[in-house]
Amino acid sequence: MLALKDAEFEPVAGDADAGRTGASESDPHTRRGPFRPERLVTARERQTERLSSFYFRALDLLAVTGWTLMLALAIDGAPLAAPTGQILPVAIGAWAALSLMRTTELYRFGRGERVVVHLAKLWGAFGLAGGLAAAVATMTGHASALPEIAIWAVAGALITSCLHLLWWRMVREWRAQGRLTPSIAIVGATKHAERLIKDALKRRDINVLGVFDDRLGRAPETVAGVPVLGDLDSLLSHKIAPYLDRIVVAVDPAARQRVAEITKRLAILPNEVSLIVDQDDQAGRDEALARLAEAPLAPVGGPPDPDRRAFAKRMQDLLAGGLLLIGLAPMMAMVALLVKLDSPGPIFFRQRRHGFNNEEILVWKFRTMRHEAADATASRQVTADDDRITRLGRFLRKTSIDELPQLLNVVRGEMSLVGPRPHAVGMKTGETESARLVAEYAHRHRMKPGMTGWAAIKGSRGPLHTAADVRRRVQLDVDYIERQSFWLDIWIILVTAPVLLGDRSAVR
């Protein structure tokens, strides 16, 4: 089988934990199937583990830099006052070692790579870096420093080898726990799907969580032991969706019209979609499965990619979100006291909302409604002069101070400072669920939801009363996702307060 086509897609709500709900094992639509682990890991959790490579590289940078400074101190006694010629060789060596470790992909920890090969690359990087440092020392007339340079290269390789052995063990444990094993769903209960599943069962490096078929009436109840969970509509609204990394279309590519219809319907979602072609030779099928199963840690070199952008955004959230949480803690404590004094009930209101990859998260807010009138599903959206809102709540909502507890969600990694605003699970616009009004609605979940966002500062905040409101919100959110950058996030954060406070017409 060969992956031919990649696209973007993401699903929604059905049966992620059917095996633990007491459902009958004889029912193929609820049993776990041969791949289902005891604990399913969401795509967001797997992304968090994959981004660990950036932390690994940062620790390498600190270790190599620290050791280089110690060596420079030993050579001269005062490295900052030493002549440039004495410091330059080891400085160049350190730069070369770190660069070679990156370019040889020592931070990917690929599934099939052996630790001996990994360590050989690492020692080779320090060997080349040490040779370069020695050449520079010789050319600049500081050949007397060659013994110290040799010590630097050997000790540097030993230090980083210890670090990488620790990380190798961590990555191996993550894989054993399924935290790096990709999960897929197959579209098409076909012979191609059966063959893929049987090959995947032999390899055990990929989880096939379920099969969906656009022609459900002709489909069997299971395919090689994997339950058929429904048709394409079921896939678009299944609870298994937050756990999926990819959708694999196993329909014969010769049926071009059918394939085109399927891929068009799946294109509204943010998960990757692959079309596979059945091959007669085992080597070709193994190669295709290896591409599906490959889950290395995120690459730290080369041009910007989604993983690097996600890591930069996470660092931004941790630093800025942590500082804001600490700085605003006194004000939040005061608001909590006022909420308690204003009306009976809890201080906080918690609501299940859609997060990254449609994962359900619990979002925190200060309570702004009467406790007995709380609406966890947003089945009735807020209107002007809403009788459910308390006196203090009206002010908190108008100023968005009620959203400040979401800094906890940001620090926990469930939300971001900037992104599409999270909508309540099952939120309705009129009598219809909002997610069903716009085909591209699920595109909003290709990024973590945010406390503020492009849509919020462009006037689309608060309740959505018409399909046109939903359409405009989704358009602005997708526009932000495609344009997201560090500087755009900074701009949105800076203008959020004046824009929201100056929007007197907004209903929240």
Side-chain angles (χ1 to χ4, degrees):
M1 303 169 188
L2 180 65
L4 293 182
K5 178 181 176 61
D6 288 325
E8 296 239 12
F9 145 89
E10 161 185 6
V12 217
D15 169 79
D17 293 277
R20 280 168 281 180
T21 59
S24 171
E25 281 295 314
S26 63
D27 183 356
H29 295 277
T30 57
R31 82 167 169 262
R32 302 179 64 82
F35 292 94
R36 296 284 290 279
E38 284 302 314
R39 177 180 177 270
L40 289 173
V41 180
T42 65
R44 177 179 62 83
E45 291 176 289
R46 274 193 294 277
Q47 183 191 62
T48 299
E49 308 297 0
R50 292 184 63 244
L51 295 182
S52 296
S53 58
F54 293 94
Y55 299 103
F56 296 164
R57 187 185 178 196
L59 289 172
D60 272 359
L61 177 63
L62 290 175
V64 173
T65 302
W67 168 236
T68 301
L69 289 175
M70 288 175 61
L71 181 68
L73 181 63
I75 292 175
D76 186 78
L80 296 180
T84 303
Q86 292 183 337
I87 300 299
L88 186 63
V90 287
I92 290 178
W95 168 81
L98 291 168
S99 298
L100 287 168
M101 290 166 68
R102 182 192 68 190
T103 56
T104 53
E105 298 189 336
L106 283 179
Y107 299 99
R108 286 181 64 83
F109 296 90
R111 184 179 297 273
E113 185 182 12
R114 293 185 299 166
V115 66
V116 173
V117 175
H118 185 94
L119 293 179
K121 289 181 182 179
L122 191 152
W123 279 81
F126 272 91
L128 291 173
L132 178 60
V136 172
T138 302
M139 289 187 293
T140 56
H142 294 89
S144 59
L146 292 181
E148 286 84 357
I149 290 174
I151 293 173
W152 169 85
V154 173
L158 284 172
I159 293 170
T160 50
S161 291
C162 292
L163 290 173
H164 279 246
L165 283 172
L166 173 63
W167 300 333
W168 191 276
R169 178 167 182 168
M170 290 171 60
V171 172
R172 186 178 63 182
E173 289 179 357
W174 291 342
R175 287 207 169 98
Q177 296 165 4
R179 292 160 71 179
L180 287 175
T181 303
S183 295
I184 69 170
I186 297 177
V187 173
T190 65
K191 64 177 182 180
H192 307 305
E194 182 178 10
R195 217 163 166 183
L196 184 153
I197 292 169
K198 288 181 177 179
D199 286 341
L201 276 169
K202 295 176 185 176
R203 297 169 56 94
R204 283 292 178 182
D205 54 5
I206 193 169
N207 291 327
V208 185
L209 301 187
V211 177
F212 297 82
D213 198 287
D214 57 319
R215 300 174 179 178
L216 191 60
R218 307 180 189 178
E221 294 184 334
T222 64
V223 178
V226 176
V228 177
L229 299 177
D231 56 14
L232 286 186
D233 289 334
S234 300
L235 172 57
L236 300 182
S237 59
H238 206 284
K239 283 184 179 178
I240 211 171
Y243 304 94
L244 297 175
D245 297 285
R246 184 184 293 262
I247 309 298
V248 177
V249 179
V251 175
D252 188 349
R256 296 189 177 184
Q257 183 175 354
R258 184 184 179 191
V259 170
E261 290 174 356
I262 291 173
T263 53
K264 182 179 180 180
R265 293 186 67 184
L266 297 181
I268 66 171
L269 301 170
N271 302 67
E272 289 190 45
V273 178
S274 293
L275 172 65
I276 60 172
V277 178
D278 196 41
Q279 293 190 0
D280 293 330
D281 63 301
Q282 187 65 42
R285 294 199 297 274
D286 285 343
E287 182 183 352
L289 275 174
R291 283 198 294 274
L292 289 176
E294 177 63 14
L297 298 196
V300 295
D305 60 27
D307 284 323
R308 294 185 69 185
R309 186 171 71 167
F311 175 77
K313 196 167 176 62
R314 179 61 181 147
M315 290 297 98
Q316 172 185 305
D317 291 337
L318 277 176
L319 293 175
L323 291 174
L324 284 172
L325 189 59
I326 294 171
L328 295 174
M331 185 181 79
M332 293 172 66
M334 179 62 70
V335 173
L337 177 61
L338 292 174
V339 170
K340 196 65 179 175
L341 294 174
D342 182 58
S343 63
I347 294 172
F348 297 106
F349 172 67
R350 296 178 300 171
Q351 188 177 53
R352 302 203 74 83
R353 299 191 179 187
H354 288 302
F356 174 72
N357 202 36
N358 222 41
E359 175 188 3
E360 291 186 9
I361 60 175
L362 201 62
V363 172
W364 290 71
K365 297 177 62 177
F366 285 120
R367 181 175 58 84
T368 59
M369 292 185 179
R370 290 179 288 106
H371 181 49
E372 67 275 11
D375 183 7
T377 62
S379 57
R380 173 188 165 191
Q381 297 198 50
V382 177
T383 58
D385 301 320
D386 198 309
D387 60 357
R388 298 172 297 170
I389 301 177
T390 64
R391 292 169 300 171
L392 177 64
R394 201 168 301 282
F395 170 76
L396 296 180
R397 295 175 74 93
K398 191 70 176 178
T399 58
S400 292
I401 292 175
D402 63 319
E403 310 281 359
L404 290 182
Q406 290 169 26
L407 286 169
L408 295 170
N409 293 106
V410 172
V411 173
R412 285 164 54 92
E414 297 164 334
M415 289 179 60
S416 182
L417 287 174
V418 182
R421 287 292 297 146
H423 290 172
V425 175
M427 184 183 77
K428 291 184 177 180
T429 298
E431 297 299 321
T432 308
E433 189 173 339
S434 303
R436 300 184 181 279
L437 293 175
V438 180
E440 294 80 9
Y441 186 90
H443 275 273
R444 306 177 71 254
H445 305 136
R446 291 158 56 191
M447 183 175 284
K448 289 180 185 177
M451 292 185 63
T452 184
W454 186 245
I457 67 170
K458 291 294 182 180
S460 181
R461 61 189 288 254
L464 302 168
H465 296 297
T466 68
D469 292 340
V470 179
R471 192 172 295 107
R472 181 167 185 268
R473 175 79 56 85
V474 171
Q475 181 180 3
L476 289 168
D477 287 339
V478 172
D479 184 39
Y480 165 74
I481 291 171
E482 293 176 349
R483 297 174 52 196
Q484 189 274 326
S485 69
F486 171 79
W487 294 112
L488 179 60
D489 283 359
I490 295 299
W491 169 253
I492 291 173
I493 291 171
L494 290 176
V495 303
T496 289
V499 167
L500 298 192
L501 291 177
D503 186 4
R504 298 182 181 276
S505 64
V507 176
R508 288 198 65 250

